[in-house]
Every structure is written in C-alpha cells, then in structure tokens.
Amino acid sequence: MGRVEKYVLSAIEERGAIHMALIDPARTGPEEAREIARVAERAGTAAIMVGGSIGVSEHMVDDVVLAVKDACKLPVILFPGSPTSLSRFADAVWFLSVLNSTNPYFIVLGQVQGAPVVKRYGLEAIPLAYLILGSGGTVGFVSQARLIPYDRPEIAVAFALAAQYMGFRFLYLEGGSGAEPVPPSLIRAVDSSVDIPIVTGGGIRTPELARAAVSAGADIVVTGTILEEGGDLYSKLTAIVRAVEEAGRSRRHLEPR
Ligand code: 1GP
C-alpha cells in the first residue's frame, strides 16, 4: 500500500470520515483551482481529486494539478475519465473500473491503456470499484453504465460484494455530478454488507446531505459542483467538512473533537 492510501485510511480512522474536493479541469482553470485548493486546505478537506468525464486533456490536468500543488500541501489524487487524463505531477490515481459499464472499455481496456502511463509517471495506483447509480449524470452516459436504480439496493450490494471479493480496496457510489445524491438507505445497505471504505458523491450540496451520507456509512464524501459556484467557499466547505467529520466520529463512537 502506498503513501497516499495510508494517509487516506488513517485520516478516516482519526477523523471518522473525510471530505475530498473534486476539481474538473474542463470546468475550472488553474487560477480558480489554486484558490479552491487554498480554501479547501484551510477548511479541513483531506485531499484534492482532479478529473472529469468529458473534455479533459492531459495538458489541462497538468495545469490544474500544478496549480493545486503550488497552493496547498494536500495530496492530489487523479480521478480520470480516460487514460489520456493522467498527470505526472499528481500523487496518486484512483485506478478505477466502472464495474457496471456495459462496455469492456470502461471496465478494463481503458485501464490497460493507462496502466503503463501510471507506471512511467510513478503514480500511486489506488484500486477503486466505481458504480454509477440513479440518473448517473454525464459520467453515466459517457461510460455507458447500466445504471443501478436507487430503489434497487440489492443490486448495489451485489456489485459491492463482487468488488470486494475481486480485491478492490475502495468502492465509489456515484450519483452523477449535479444529480440526485445516492440515498442514505442504499449507502447503509452497502455499508452493512462490505468492509472496504465507501466513497460517495454526486449532488451533495449541503452539510445535511453530507452528514446523512456519512451517518449511513460513507467514509469519504466528494463534492465538485459547489466548488465552482462562487459565494463564500470557505464557509460552505467548513460546514460540509464539519458535518462529515462529526457524523463519522459519532458513527464510529469516537470522542468529539
Ligand atoms: C462527481 O461525485 C462527483 O463525480 C461530484 O459530484 O459535482 O455533484 O458534487 P458533484
């Protein structure tokens, strides 16, 4: 296990649950990314994810990653939508497989194309099973996912178990950027069936939604869209980070901070 994965696991253990900020280089340029990273670090975000499912080139990822690295000390974890959006300047990559895609490209062939690049760039690869649920948003469309309906938790549980038995070390329950968040009842069903840490994101815009996801069993909450909307980012992020960590600590019966 690499340095970033160890950091992520120990941050979950210490804080109960953690927040990660997702920057999509197709929607956020390096200058804005620099500001988001600075604020996110101050607000208590644990790591910065960089990636997007459409319109992202390696050059765009490089520029954003370099800006983020310059602005803060948080680890940068790539969240690639394709093998052409890897950056040699990042710390790690969610080495993800869209397990419920109908197209083998998104399950394994894109990964085959990207793996030698990951090796050449010396990126730490963190194996992640990626499930797209609900309406799935753009990523569901682009990755040709057979979307798991929100009222079919048993399907999500079966995928999650398969992911764990196949050796994936993290599981991402994705509702799609800007879409309806994954329901807490579904997160709870998955959490009670598997041991690997659960990441969730898609449509989480308020501390209440973040808290509900963690209380149901999410270990990592990812937000992207709210970072792009302007306003008082520090207050927004602080409130979300606090909600995530409070819910995590109480779920794990840790002392409040
Ligand atoms: C998308 O889950 C992430 O992959 C983030 O979604 O943009 O809705 O926060 P949002």
Side-chain angles (χ1 to χ4, degrees):
M1 189 190 298
R3 186 179 61 83
V4 175
E5 188 172 349
K6 276 192 199 133
Y7 160 83
V8 167
L9 292 178
S10 68
I12 292 170
E13 189 145 321
E14 281 160 28
R15 304 188 208 175
I18 58 176
H19 171 257
M20 293 191 188
L22 172 63
I23 301 177
D24 181 345
R27 303 206 295 212
T28 302
E31 279 323 302
E32 215 185 326
R34 185 188 301 275
E35 186 53 25
I36 291 171
R38 215 187 328 251
V39 173
E41 184 175 45
R42 258 200 314 136
T45 291
I48 307 289
M49 289 165 50
V50 178
S53 46
I54 221 165
V56 182
S57 73
E58 177 160 331
H59 186 68
M60 290 158 77
V61 181
D62 278 346
D63 286 349
V64 165
V65 171
L66 284 171
V68 169
K69 296 296 289 178
D70 188 48
C72 74
K73 295 199 159 35
L74 296 175
V76 175
I77 308 176
L78 299 173
F79 189 43
S82 82
T84 57
S85 45
L86 296 164
S87 168
R88 68 181 75 226
F89 305 111
D91 300 294
V93 54
W94 288 120
F95 202 82
L96 66 90
S97 172
V98 186
L99 283 190
N100 62 323
S101 178
T102 55
N103 183 338
Y105 183 77
F106 297 98
I107 303 171
V108 69
L109 296 178
Q111 295 75 355
V112 169
Q113 288 185 313
V117 182
V118 168
K119 174 94 173 156
R120 188 172 326 118
Y121 288 178
L123 292 168
E124 176 184 333
I126 308 176
L128 172 76
Y130 190 59
L131 300 182
I132 310 178
L133 304 99
S135 65
T138 305
V139 71
F141 180 87
V142 170
S143 14
Q144 298 171 35
R146 189 175 173 105
L147 299 167
I148 301 171
Y150 280 164
D151 62 356
R152 288 286 176 270
E154 67 276 17
I155 300 177
V157 166
F159 266 104
L161 280 170
Q164 176 166 308
Y165 297 154
M166 284 192 265
F168 286 95
R169 298 207 286 266
F170 290 81
L171 176 78
Y172 199 124
L173 300 176
E174 172 69 79
S177 183
E180 196 60 31
V182 178
S185 54
L186 188 146
I187 298 175
R188 189 168 291 112
V190 170
D191 179 57
S192 57
S193 307
V194 299
D195 306 312
I196 52 178
I198 297 173
V199 189
T200 194
I204 297 181
R205 322 180 44 86
T206 63
E208 292 69 32
L209 289 168
R211 189 187 305 277
V214 173
S215 298
D219 301 289
I220 302 175
V221 169
V222 179
T223 63
T225 301
I226 58 158
L227 311 176
E228 301 162 4
E229 290 177 338
D232 184 352
L233 187 57
Y234 178 71
S235 304
K236 274 199 281 191
L237 277 184
T238 309
I240 286 186
V241 169
R242 188 175 303 140
V244 165
E245 296 189 3
E246 274 174 12
R249 296 185 79 76
S250 96
R251 182 161 58 90
R252 287 172 210 281
H253 310 292
L254 300 172
E255 290 296 311
R257 284 230 221 197

Coordinates of all heavy atoms in Angstrom, one line a residue, residues 7-20 44 46-47 49 94 128 164 169-173 187-188 190-192 194-201 204 210-222 240-241 243-249 251-252 254:
Y7 N -2.4 7.4 4.1 CA -2.8 8.7 4.6 C -4.4 8.8 4.6 O -5.0 9.2 5.6 CB -2.2 9.9 3.7 CG -3.0 11.2 3.9 CD1 -2.7 12.0 4.9 CD2 -4.0 11.5 2.9 CE1 -3.4 13.2 5.0 CE2 -4.7 12.7 3.0 CZ -4.4 13.6 4.1 OH -5.1 14.7 4.2
V8 N -5.0 8.3 3.5 CA -6.4 8.4 3.4 C -7.1 7.5 4.5 O -8.0 7.9 5.2 CB -6.9 7.9 2.0 CG1 -8.4 7.7 2.0 CG2 -6.5 9.0 1.0
L9 N -6.5 6.3 4.7 CA -7.1 5.3 5.7 C -6.9 5.9 7.1 O -7.8 5.8 7.9 CB -6.5 3.9 5.5 CG -6.8 3.2 4.2 CD1 -6.1 1.9 4.2 CD2 -8.3 3.0 4.1
S10 N -5.7 6.4 7.3 CA -5.5 6.9 8.7 C -6.3 8.2 9.0 O -6.8 8.4 10.1 CB -4.0 7.1 9.1 OG -3.5 8.1 8.3
A11 N -6.5 9.0 7.9 CA -7.4 10.2 8.1 C -8.8 9.7 8.4 O -9.5 10.3 9.3 CB -7.4 11.1 6.9
I12 N -9.3 8.7 7.7 CA -10.7 8.2 8.0 C -10.7 7.7 9.5 O -11.7 8.0 10.2 CB -11.1 7.1 7.0 CG1 -11.2 7.6 5.6 CG2 -12.3 6.4 7.5 CD1 -11.4 6.5 4.5
E13 N -9.7 7.0 9.9 CA -9.7 6.4 11.2 C -9.7 7.5 12.3 O -10.4 7.5 13.2 CB -8.5 5.5 11.4 CG -8.5 4.8 12.7 CD -7.8 3.4 12.5 OE1 -8.1 2.8 11.4 OE2 -7.1 3.0 13.3
E14 N -8.8 8.5 12.0 CA -8.7 9.6 13.1 C -9.9 10.5 13.1 O -10.4 11.0 14.1 CB -7.5 10.5 12.8 CG -6.2 9.8 13.2 CD -5.0 10.5 12.5 OE1 -5.1 11.7 12.1 OE2 -4.0 9.8 12.3
R15 N -10.4 10.9 11.9 CA -11.5 11.9 11.8 C -12.9 11.3 11.8 O -13.9 12.0 11.8 CB -11.3 12.8 10.6 CG -9.9 13.4 10.6 CD -9.8 14.5 9.4 NE -8.5 14.6 8.9 CZ -8.2 15.4 7.9 NH1 -9.2 16.1 7.3 NH2 -7.0 15.5 7.4
G16 N -13.0 10.0 11.6 CA -14.3 9.4 11.5 C -14.7 9.2 10.0 O -15.2 8.2 9.6
A17 N -14.6 10.3 9.3 CA -14.9 10.3 7.8 C -14.2 11.5 7.3 O -13.9 12.4 8.0 CB -16.4 10.3 7.6
I18 N -14.0 11.6 6.0 CA -13.3 12.7 5.4 C -14.0 13.3 4.2 O -14.8 12.6 3.5 CB -11.8 12.4 5.0 CG1 -11.7 11.2 4.1 CG2 -11.0 12.1 6.3 CD1 -10.3 10.8 3.6
H19 N -13.6 14.5 3.8 CA -14.1 15.2 2.7 C -13.0 15.3 1.6 O -11.9 15.6 2.0 CB -14.6 16.6 3.0 CG -15.0 17.4 1.9 ND1 -14.2 18.4 1.4 CD2 -16.1 17.4 1.0 CE1 -14.8 19.0 0.3 NE2 -15.9 18.4 0.1
M20 N -13.4 15.1 0.4 CA -12.4 15.4 -0.7 C -13.1 16.4 -1.7 O -14.3 16.2 -2.0 CB -12.0 14.1 -1.5 CG -11.2 13.2 -0.6 SD -10.4 11.9 -1.6 CE -9.7 10.8 -0.3
G44 N -10.3 22.1 6.0 CA -10.1 20.8 6.5 C -10.4 19.7 5.6 O -10.5 18.5 6.0
A46 N -9.5 16.7 3.1 CA -8.4 15.8 3.3 C -7.5 15.6 2.0 O -6.4 15.3 2.1 CB -8.9 14.5 3.7
A47 N -8.1 15.8 0.8 CA -7.4 15.6 -0.4 C -8.1 16.3 -1.5 O -9.3 16.6 -1.4 CB -7.2 14.1 -0.7
M49 N -9.2 15.9 -5.5 CA -9.3 15.0 -6.6 C -9.3 15.9 -7.9 O -10.0 16.9 -7.9 CB -10.5 14.1 -6.5 CG -10.4 13.1 -5.4 SD -12.0 12.3 -4.9 CE -12.7 11.8 -6.5
W94 N -6.9 7.3 -8.5 CA -7.9 6.3 -8.3 C -7.9 5.4 -9.5 O -8.3 5.8 -10.6 CB -9.3 6.9 -8.2 CG -9.6 7.7 -6.9 CD1 -9.9 9.0 -6.8 CD2 -9.7 7.2 -5.6 NE1 -10.2 9.3 -5.5 CE2 -10.0 8.2 -4.7 CE3 -9.4 5.9 -5.0 CZ2 -10.2 8.1 -3.3 CZ3 -9.6 5.8 -3.6 CH2 -9.9 6.8 -2.8
L128 N -10.0 1.1 -7.2 CA -11.3 1.6 -6.8 C -12.4 1.0 -7.8 O -12.3 1.1 -9.0 CB -11.3 3.2 -7.0 CG -12.7 3.9 -6.9 CD1 -13.1 4.0 -5.4 CD2 -12.6 5.3 -7.5
Q164 N -15.5 -6.2 -3.6 CA -14.7 -6.6 -2.5 C -14.0 -7.9 -2.8 O -12.8 -8.1 -2.5 CB -15.5 -6.6 -1.2 CG -14.7 -7.1 0.0 CD -15.4 -6.8 1.3 OE1 -15.8 -5.7 1.6 NE2 -15.6 -7.8 2.1
R169 N -10.0 -2.0 -3.3 CA -9.8 -1.5 -1.9 C -10.7 -0.4 -1.5 O -10.8 -0.1 -0.3 CB -8.3 -1.2 -1.7 CG -7.4 -2.4 -1.9 CD -6.1 -2.3 -1.1 NE -5.2 -1.4 -1.7 CZ -4.2 -1.7 -2.6 NH1 -4.1 -3.0 -2.9 NH2 -3.4 -0.8 -3.0
F170 N -11.4 0.2 -2.4 CA -12.4 1.3 -2.2 C -13.5 1.1 -3.1 O -13.4 0.5 -4.2 CB -11.8 2.7 -2.4 CG -10.7 3.1 -1.4 CD1 -9.4 2.6 -1.5 CD2 -11.1 3.9 -0.3 CE1 -8.4 3.0 -0.6 CE2 -10.1 4.3 0.6 CZ -8.8 3.8 0.5
L171 N -14.7 1.6 -2.7 CA -15.9 1.5 -3.5 C -16.5 2.9 -3.6 O -16.8 3.5 -2.6 CB -16.9 0.5 -2.8 CG -18.2 0.4 -3.5 CD1 -18.1 -0.5 -4.7 CD2 -19.3 -0.2 -2.5
Y172 N -16.8 3.3 -4.9 CA -17.4 4.6 -5.1 C -18.8 4.5 -5.5 O -19.1 3.8 -6.5 CB -16.6 5.3 -6.2 CG -16.7 6.8 -6.2 CD1 -15.6 7.7 -6.2 CD2 -18.0 7.5 -6.4 CE1 -15.7 9.1 -6.2 CE2 -18.1 8.8 -6.5 CZ -17.0 9.6 -6.4 OH -17.1 11.0 -6.5
L173 N -19.7 5.0 -4.7 CA -21.1 5.1 -5.1 C -21.4 6.4 -5.7 O -21.5 7.4 -5.0 CB -22.0 4.8 -3.9 CG -21.8 3.5 -3.2 CD1 -22.7 3.4 -1.9 CD2 -22.1 2.3 -4.1
I187 N -26.8 3.5 0.7 CA -25.4 3.5 1.3 C -25.4 2.6 2.5 O -24.5 1.8 2.7 CB -25.0 5.0 1.7 CG1 -25.0 5.9 0.5 CG2 -23.6 4.9 2.4 CD1 -24.7 7.4 0.8
R188 N -26.4 2.7 3.3 CA -26.5 1.9 4.5 C -26.5 0.4 4.2 O -25.8 -0.4 4.8 CB -27.7 2.2 5.4 CG -27.7 1.6 6.7 CD -28.8 2.2 7.7 NE -28.5 3.5 8.1 CZ -29.2 4.6 7.7 NH1 -30.3 4.5 7.0 NH2 -28.8 5.8 8.1
V190 N -25.3 -1.0 1.5 CA -24.0 -1.4 1.0 C -23.0 -1.5 2.2 O -22.2 -2.5 2.3 CB -23.5 -0.4 -0.1 CG1 -22.0 -0.7 -0.4 CG2 -24.3 -0.5 -1.3
D191 N -23.0 -0.5 3.1 CA -22.1 -0.5 4.2 C -22.3 -1.7 5.1 O -21.3 -2.2 5.7 CB -22.3 0.8 5.0 CG -21.4 0.9 6.2 OD1 -20.1 0.8 6.0 OD2 -21.8 1.0 7.3
S192 N -23.5 -2.2 5.2 CA -23.7 -3.3 6.1 C -23.2 -4.6 5.5 O -23.2 -5.7 6.1 CB -25.1 -3.4 6.7 OG -26.0 -3.5 5.6
V194 N -20.3 -4.8 3.1 CA -18.9 -4.9 2.7 C -18.1 -4.1 3.8 O -18.5 -3.3 4.6 CB -18.6 -4.2 1.3 CG1 -19.4 -5.0 0.2 CG2 -19.0 -2.7 1.3
D195 N -16.8 -4.5 3.7 CA -15.8 -3.9 4.7 C -15.0 -2.8 4.1 O -14.4 -2.0 4.8 CB -14.9 -5.0 5.2 CG -15.7 -6.1 5.8 OD1 -16.6 -5.9 6.6 OD2 -15.3 -7.3 5.4
I196 N -14.9 -2.7 2.8 CA -14.0 -1.7 2.1 C -14.6 -0.3 2.3 O -15.8 -0.2 2.3 CB -13.7 -2.0 0.6 CG1 -15.0 -2.3 -0.2 CG2 -12.7 -3.2 0.5 CD1 -14.7 -2.5 -1.7
P197 N -13.8 0.7 2.4 CA -14.3 2.1 2.6 C -15.2 2.5 1.4 O -14.9 2.1 0.3 CB -13.0 2.9 2.7 CG -11.9 2.0 3.0 CD -12.3 0.7 2.4
I198 N -16.2 3.3 1.7 CA -17.2 3.7 0.8 C -17.0 5.2 0.5 O -16.9 6.0 1.4 CB -18.6 3.5 1.2 CG1 -18.8 2.0 1.4 CG2 -19.6 4.1 0.3 CD1 -20.2 1.6 2.0
V199 N -16.8 5.5 -0.8 CA -16.8 6.9 -1.2 C -18.1 7.2 -1.9 O -18.7 6.4 -2.5 CB -15.7 7.1 -2.3 CG1 -15.4 8.6 -2.7 CG2 -14.4 6.4 -2.0
T200 N -18.6 8.4 -1.6 CA -19.8 8.8 -2.4 C -19.8 10.2 -2.8 O -19.1 11.1 -2.2 CB -21.1 8.5 -1.6 OG1 -22.3 8.5 -2.5 CG2 -21.4 9.5 -0.5
G201 N -20.4 10.5 -3.9 CA -20.5 11.9 -4.4 C -21.6 11.9 -5.5 O -22.2 10.9 -5.9
I204 N -24.1 16.3 -3.8 CA -24.0 16.7 -2.4 C -23.7 18.2 -2.3 O -22.6 18.6 -2.6 CB -23.0 15.8 -1.6 CG1 -23.5 14.3 -1.7 CG2 -22.9 16.3 -0.2 CD1 -22.7 13.3 -1.0
A210 N -24.4 15.8 3.3 CA -23.1 15.1 3.6 C -23.2 14.3 4.9 O -22.7 13.2 5.0 CB -22.0 16.2 3.7
R211 N -23.8 14.9 5.9 CA -24.0 14.2 7.2 C -24.8 12.9 7.0 O -24.4 11.9 7.5 CB -24.7 15.2 8.1 CG -24.8 14.7 9.6 CD -25.7 15.6 10.4 NE -25.3 17.0 10.4 CZ -24.3 17.5 11.1 NH1 -23.7 16.8 12.0 NH2 -24.0 18.8 11.0
A212 N -25.9 13.0 6.2 CA -26.7 11.9 6.0 C -26.0 10.7 5.3 O -26.1 9.5 5.7 CB -28.0 12.2 5.2
A213 N -25.1 11.1 4.3 CA -24.3 10.1 3.6 C -23.4 9.4 4.6 O -23.2 8.1 4.6 CB -23.6 10.7 2.5
V214 N -22.7 10.2 5.5 CA -21.7 9.6 6.4 C -22.4 8.8 7.5 O -22.0 7.6 7.8 CB -20.8 10.7 7.0 CG1 -19.9 10.1 8.1 CG2 -20.0 11.3 5.9
S215 N -23.5 9.3 8.0 CA -24.3 8.5 9.0 C -24.7 7.2 8.5 O -24.8 6.2 9.2 CB -25.5 9.3 9.5 OG -25.1 10.5 10.1
A216 N -25.0 7.1 7.2 CA -25.4 5.9 6.6 C -24.2 4.9 6.3 O -24.5 3.8 6.0 CB -26.2 6.2 5.3
G217 N -23.0 5.4 6.3 CA -21.9 4.5 6.1 C -20.8 5.0 5.2 O -19.8 4.3 5.0
A218 N -21.0 6.2 4.6 CA -19.9 6.7 3.7 C -18.7 7.1 4.5 O -18.8 7.7 5.6 CB -20.4 7.8 2.8
D219 N -17.5 6.8 4.0 CA -16.2 7.1 4.7 C -15.6 8.4 4.0 O -14.8 9.1 4.7 CB -15.3 6.0 4.6 CG -15.8 4.7 5.2 OD1 -15.9 4.7 6.5 OD2 -16.2 3.8 4.5
I220 N -15.9 8.6 2.8 CA -15.4 9.7 2.0 C -16.5 10.4 1.3 O -17.2 9.7 0.5 CB -14.3 9.3 1.0 CG1 -13.1 8.6 1.8 CG2 -13.7 10.5 0.3 CD1 -12.0 8.0 0.8
V221 N -16.7 11.7 1.4 CA -17.7 12.4 0.7 C -17.0 13.4 -0.3 O -16.1 14.1 0.1 CB -18.6 13.2 1.7 CG1 -19.5 14.2 0.9 CG2 -19.4 12.3 2.5
V222 N -17.4 13.3 -1.5 CA -16.8 14.1 -2.6 C -17.7 15.2 -3.0 O -18.9 14.9 -3.3 CB -16.4 13.2 -3.8 CG1 -15.8 14.1 -4.9 CG2 -15.4 12.1 -3.4
I240 N -19.4 21.7 5.5 CA -19.5 20.4 5.0 C -18.5 19.5 5.7 O -18.8 18.4 6.1 CB -19.4 20.3 3.4 CG1 -20.7 20.9 2.8 CG2 -19.1 18.9 2.9 CD1 -20.8 20.8 1.3
V241 N -17.3 20.0 5.8 CA -16.2 19.2 6.4 C -16.6 18.9 7.9 O -16.5 17.7 8.4 CB -14.8 19.9 6.4 CG1 -13.8 19.2 7.3 CG2 -14.3 20.0 5.0
A243 N -19.6 18.7 9.1 CA -20.8 17.7 9.1 C -20.2 16.3 8.9 O -20.6 15.3 9.5 CB -21.8 18.1 8.1
V244 N -19.3 16.2 7.9 CA -18.7 14.9 7.6 C -18.0 14.3 8.8 O -18.2 13.1 9.2 CB -17.8 15.0 6.4 CG1 -16.9 13.8 6.2 CG2 -18.6 15.3 5.1
E245 N -17.2 15.1 9.4 CA -16.3 14.6 10.5 C -17.2 14.3 11.7 O -17.0 13.3 12.4 CB -15.2 15.5 10.8 CG -14.2 15.6 9.5 CD -12.9 16.3 9.8 OE1 -12.7 16.7 10.9 OE2 -12.1 16.4 8.8
E246 N -18.1 15.2 12.0 CA -19.0 14.9 13.2 C -19.8 13.6 13.0 O -19.8 12.8 13.9 CB -20.0 16.0 13.4 CG -19.4 17.2 14.2 CD -20.4 18.4 14.2 OE1 -21.6 18.2 13.8 OE2 -20.0 19.5 14.6
A247 N -20.3 13.4 11.8 CA -21.1 12.2 11.6 C -20.2 11.0 11.6 O -20.6 9.9 12.1 CB -21.9 12.3 10.2
G248 N -19.0 11.1 11.1 CA -18.1 10.0 11.1 C -17.7 9.6 12.5 O -17.7 8.4 12.9
R249 N -17.4 10.6 13.3 CA -17.0 10.4 14.7 C -18.1 9.7 15.5 O -17.9 8.8 16.2 CB -16.5 11.6 15.4 CG -15.2 12.2 14.7 CD -14.7 13.4 15.5 NE -13.9 13.0 16.6 CZ -12.7 12.5 16.6 NH1 -12.1 12.4 15.4 NH2 -12.1 12.1 17.6
R251 N -20.6 8.0 14.3 CA -20.9 6.6 13.8 C -19.8 5.6 14.3 O -20.1 4.5 14.6 CB -20.8 6.6 12.2 CG -21.1 5.2 11.6 CD -21.6 5.3 10.2 NE -20.6 6.0 9.3 CZ -19.6 5.3 8.7 NH1 -19.5 4.0 8.8 NH2 -18.7 6.0 7.9
R252 N -18.6 6.1 14.5 CA -17.5 5.2 15.0 C -17.4 5.3 16.5 O -16.4 4.8 17.0 CB -16.2 5.6 14.3 CG -16.1 5.2 12.9 CD -14.9 5.7 12.3 NE -15.1 5.9 10.9 CZ -15.0 5.0 10.0 NH1 -14.8 3.8 10.3 NH2 -15.3 5.3 8.7
L254 N -16.3 7.7 18.3 CA -15.1 8.4 18.7 C -15.5 9.6 19.5 O -16.6 10.2 19.3 CB -14.3 8.9 17.4 CG -13.8 7.8 16.5 CD1 -13.2 8.4 15.2 CD2 -12.8 6.9 17.1

